[in-house]
Short mmCIF file of all heavy atoms in Angstrom, two decimals:
data_model
loop_
_atom_site.label_atom_id
_atom_site.label_comp_id
_atom_site.label_asym_id
_atom_site.label_seq_id
_atom_site.Cartn_x
_atom_site.Cartn_y
_atom_site.Cartn_z
N PRO A 1525 191.49 -161.49 50.82
CA PRO A 1525 191.38 -162.35 49.65
C PRO A 1525 192.54 -163.33 49.60
O PRO A 1525 193.54 -163.17 50.31
CB PRO A 1525 191.41 -161.38 48.47
CG PRO A 1525 192.09 -160.16 49.01
CD PRO A 1525 191.74 -160.09 50.46
N PRO A 1526 192.45 -164.35 48.76
CA PRO A 1526 193.42 -165.44 48.78
C PRO A 1526 194.88 -165.02 48.63
O PRO A 1526 195.74 -165.50 49.34
CB PRO A 1526 192.98 -166.32 47.60
CG PRO A 1526 191.53 -166.07 47.48
CD PRO A 1526 191.34 -164.63 47.83
N TYR A 1527 195.17 -164.10 47.68
CA TYR A 1527 196.58 -163.79 47.48
C TYR A 1527 197.15 -163.04 48.67
O TYR A 1527 198.32 -163.18 49.02
CB TYR A 1527 196.77 -163.01 46.17
CG TYR A 1527 196.69 -161.52 46.30
CD1 TYR A 1527 197.85 -160.76 46.44
CD2 TYR A 1527 195.46 -160.85 46.26
CE1 TYR A 1527 197.78 -159.39 46.54
CE2 TYR A 1527 195.40 -159.50 46.37
CZ TYR A 1527 196.56 -158.75 46.50
OH TYR A 1527 196.48 -157.39 46.62
N GLN A 1528 196.32 -162.22 49.35
CA GLN A 1528 196.79 -161.54 50.55
C GLN A 1528 197.00 -162.52 51.70
O GLN A 1528 197.94 -162.39 52.48
CB GLN A 1528 195.80 -160.44 50.96
CG GLN A 1528 195.78 -159.26 50.01
CD GLN A 1528 194.89 -158.14 50.49
OE1 GLN A 1528 194.13 -158.29 51.45
NE2 GLN A 1528 194.97 -157.00 49.83
N ARG A 1529 196.13 -163.53 51.78
CA ARG A 1529 196.33 -164.56 52.80
C ARG A 1529 197.62 -165.32 52.54
O ARG A 1529 198.34 -165.68 53.48
CB ARG A 1529 195.14 -165.52 52.82
CG ARG A 1529 193.88 -164.93 53.38
CD ARG A 1529 192.97 -166.03 53.93
NE ARG A 1529 192.71 -167.06 52.95
CZ ARG A 1529 191.71 -167.04 52.08
NH1 ARG A 1529 190.90 -166.01 52.05
NH2 ARG A 1529 191.54 -168.03 51.23
N MET A 1530 197.92 -165.56 51.26
CA MET A 1530 199.15 -166.27 50.93
C MET A 1530 200.37 -165.44 51.33
O MET A 1530 201.34 -165.95 51.88
CB MET A 1530 199.21 -166.58 49.44
CG MET A 1530 200.39 -167.46 49.06
SD MET A 1530 200.81 -167.41 47.31
CE MET A 1530 201.48 -165.76 47.16
N VAL A 1531 200.32 -164.12 51.06
CA VAL A 1531 201.43 -163.24 51.43
C VAL A 1531 201.61 -163.23 52.94
O VAL A 1531 202.74 -163.35 53.44
CB VAL A 1531 201.17 -161.81 50.91
CG1 VAL A 1531 202.18 -160.83 51.50
CG2 VAL A 1531 201.24 -161.77 49.39
N LYS A 1532 200.51 -163.12 53.67
CA LYS A 1532 200.60 -163.07 55.13
C LYS A 1532 201.08 -164.41 55.69
O LYS A 1532 201.93 -164.44 56.59
CB LYS A 1532 199.23 -162.71 55.71
CG LYS A 1532 199.26 -162.32 57.19
CD LYS A 1532 197.95 -161.70 57.59
CE LYS A 1532 197.91 -161.37 59.08
NZ LYS A 1532 198.95 -160.42 59.49
N ALA A 1533 200.55 -165.52 55.15
CA ALA A 1533 200.97 -166.84 55.63
C ALA A 1533 202.43 -167.10 55.29
O ALA A 1533 203.18 -167.67 56.09
CB ALA A 1533 200.09 -167.93 55.02
N GLY A 1534 202.85 -166.68 54.09
CA GLY A 1534 204.26 -166.84 53.72
C GLY A 1534 205.19 -166.05 54.61
O GLY A 1534 206.26 -166.52 55.00
N THR A 1535 204.76 -164.83 54.95
CA THR A 1535 205.55 -164.01 55.87
C THR A 1535 205.64 -164.66 57.25
O THR A 1535 206.71 -164.69 57.87
CB THR A 1535 204.93 -162.61 56.00
OG1 THR A 1535 204.87 -162.00 54.70
CG2 THR A 1535 205.76 -161.73 56.92
N ASP A 1536 204.51 -165.18 57.72
CA ASP A 1536 204.50 -165.84 59.03
C ASP A 1536 205.44 -167.04 59.06
O ASP A 1536 206.19 -167.23 60.01
CB ASP A 1536 203.08 -166.29 59.38
CG ASP A 1536 202.16 -165.13 59.70
OD1 ASP A 1536 202.67 -164.06 60.08
OD2 ASP A 1536 200.93 -165.29 59.58
N LEU A 1537 205.39 -167.84 58.00
CA LEU A 1537 206.22 -169.04 57.96
C LEU A 1537 207.70 -168.70 57.80
O LEU A 1537 208.55 -169.20 58.55
CB LEU A 1537 205.76 -169.95 56.82
CG LEU A 1537 206.52 -171.27 56.66
CD1 LEU A 1537 206.39 -172.11 57.92
CD2 LEU A 1537 206.00 -172.05 55.45
N GLY A 1538 208.01 -167.84 56.83
CA GLY A 1538 209.41 -167.51 56.57
C GLY A 1538 210.04 -166.70 57.68
O GLY A 1538 211.08 -167.09 58.25
N LEU A 1539 209.41 -165.58 58.03
CA LEU A 1539 209.96 -164.72 59.07
C LEU A 1539 209.86 -165.39 60.43
O LEU A 1539 210.74 -165.24 61.29
CB LEU A 1539 209.23 -163.38 59.07
CG LEU A 1539 209.82 -162.27 59.93
CD1 LEU A 1539 211.28 -162.01 59.56
CD2 LEU A 1539 209.01 -160.99 59.78
N GLY A 1540 208.77 -166.17 60.63
CA GLY A 1540 208.61 -166.87 61.91
C GLY A 1540 209.72 -167.87 62.16
O GLY A 1540 210.19 -168.02 63.30
N THR A 1541 210.15 -168.56 61.11
CA THR A 1541 211.25 -169.52 61.25
C THR A 1541 212.54 -168.80 61.65
O THR A 1541 213.29 -169.26 62.52
CB THR A 1541 211.45 -170.28 59.94
OG1 THR A 1541 210.23 -170.97 59.60
CG2 THR A 1541 212.58 -171.29 60.06
N ILE A 1542 212.79 -167.67 61.02
CA ILE A 1542 213.99 -166.88 61.35
C ILE A 1542 213.92 -166.39 62.79
O ILE A 1542 214.90 -166.46 63.55
CB ILE A 1542 214.13 -165.70 60.38
CG1 ILE A 1542 214.35 -166.20 58.95
CG2 ILE A 1542 215.27 -164.77 60.81
CD1 ILE A 1542 214.33 -165.11 57.90
N VAL A 1543 212.75 -165.89 63.18
CA VAL A 1543 212.57 -165.40 64.55
C VAL A 1543 212.79 -166.51 65.56
O VAL A 1543 213.42 -166.30 66.61
CB VAL A 1543 211.17 -164.78 64.71
CG1 VAL A 1543 210.87 -164.49 66.18
CG2 VAL A 1543 211.06 -163.50 63.88
N LEU A 1544 212.28 -167.71 65.26
CA LEU A 1544 212.46 -168.83 66.18
C LEU A 1544 213.94 -169.13 66.40
O LEU A 1544 214.39 -169.36 67.53
CB LEU A 1544 211.74 -170.06 65.65
CG LEU A 1544 211.90 -171.36 66.46
CD1 LEU A 1544 211.36 -171.17 67.87
CD2 LEU A 1544 211.21 -172.52 65.77
N VAL A 1545 214.71 -169.13 65.31
CA VAL A 1545 216.15 -169.39 65.43
C VAL A 1545 216.83 -168.31 66.27
O VAL A 1545 217.65 -168.61 67.15
CB VAL A 1545 216.79 -169.46 64.02
CG1 VAL A 1545 218.31 -169.56 64.13
CG2 VAL A 1545 216.24 -170.65 63.25
N LEU A 1546 216.47 -167.05 66.03
CA LEU A 1546 217.10 -165.95 66.76
C LEU A 1546 216.70 -165.95 68.24
O LEU A 1546 217.48 -165.54 69.10
CB LEU A 1546 216.71 -164.61 66.12
CG LEU A 1546 217.20 -164.38 64.69
CD1 LEU A 1546 216.67 -163.05 64.15
CD2 LEU A 1546 218.73 -164.39 64.65
N LEU A 1547 215.49 -166.42 68.51
CA LEU A 1547 215.00 -166.40 69.90
C LEU A 1547 215.43 -167.61 70.71
O LEU A 1547 215.22 -167.61 71.94
CB LEU A 1547 213.47 -166.33 69.90
CG LEU A 1547 212.81 -165.01 69.47
CD1 LEU A 1547 211.30 -165.16 69.51
CD2 LEU A 1547 213.26 -163.85 70.35
N THR A 1548 215.99 -168.61 70.06
CA THR A 1548 216.32 -169.85 70.77
C THR A 1548 217.12 -169.63 72.05
O THR A 1548 216.78 -170.19 73.10
CB THR A 1548 217.04 -170.81 69.83
OG1 THR A 1548 216.16 -171.16 68.75
CG2 THR A 1548 217.46 -172.08 70.55
N PRO A 1549 218.19 -168.82 72.05
CA PRO A 1549 218.93 -168.60 73.31
C PRO A 1549 218.06 -167.98 74.40
O PRO A 1549 218.16 -168.37 75.57
CB PRO A 1549 220.07 -167.65 72.89
CG PRO A 1549 220.23 -167.88 71.42
CD PRO A 1549 218.85 -168.15 70.91
N ILE A 1550 217.20 -167.03 74.03
CA ILE A 1550 216.33 -166.39 75.02
C ILE A 1550 215.30 -167.40 75.54
O ILE A 1550 215.01 -167.44 76.75
CB ILE A 1550 215.62 -165.18 74.40
CG1 ILE A 1550 216.65 -164.13 73.96
CG2 ILE A 1550 214.63 -164.56 75.39
CD1 ILE A 1550 216.03 -162.94 73.24
N LEU A 1551 214.75 -168.21 74.65
CA LEU A 1551 213.77 -169.21 75.06
C LEU A 1551 214.38 -170.21 76.04
O LEU A 1551 213.77 -170.55 77.07
CB LEU A 1551 213.21 -169.93 73.84
CG LEU A 1551 212.39 -169.09 72.85
CD1 LEU A 1551 212.05 -169.91 71.61
CD2 LEU A 1551 211.12 -168.57 73.51
N LEU A 1552 215.57 -170.68 75.72
CA LEU A 1552 216.23 -171.67 76.60
C LEU A 1552 216.59 -171.04 77.94
O LEU A 1552 216.40 -171.65 79.01
CB LEU A 1552 217.48 -172.22 75.91
CG LEU A 1552 217.23 -173.06 74.65
CD1 LEU A 1552 218.56 -173.48 74.02
CD2 LEU A 1552 216.40 -174.30 74.99
N GLY A 1553 217.11 -169.80 77.91
CA GLY A 1553 217.48 -169.13 79.16
C GLY A 1553 216.27 -168.86 80.04
O GLY A 1553 216.33 -169.04 81.27
#
Side-chain angles (χ1 to χ4, degrees):
Y1527 90 95
Q1528 290 185 350
R1529 289 205 307 271
M1530 187 199 71
V1531 170
K1532 193 168 177 61
T1535 302
D1536 289 337
L1537 181 59
L1539 190 56
T1541 301
I1542 297 173
V1543 170
L1544 176 61
V1545 173
L1546 296 176
L1547 289 179
T1548 297
I1550 299 176
L1551 295 173
L1552 294 177

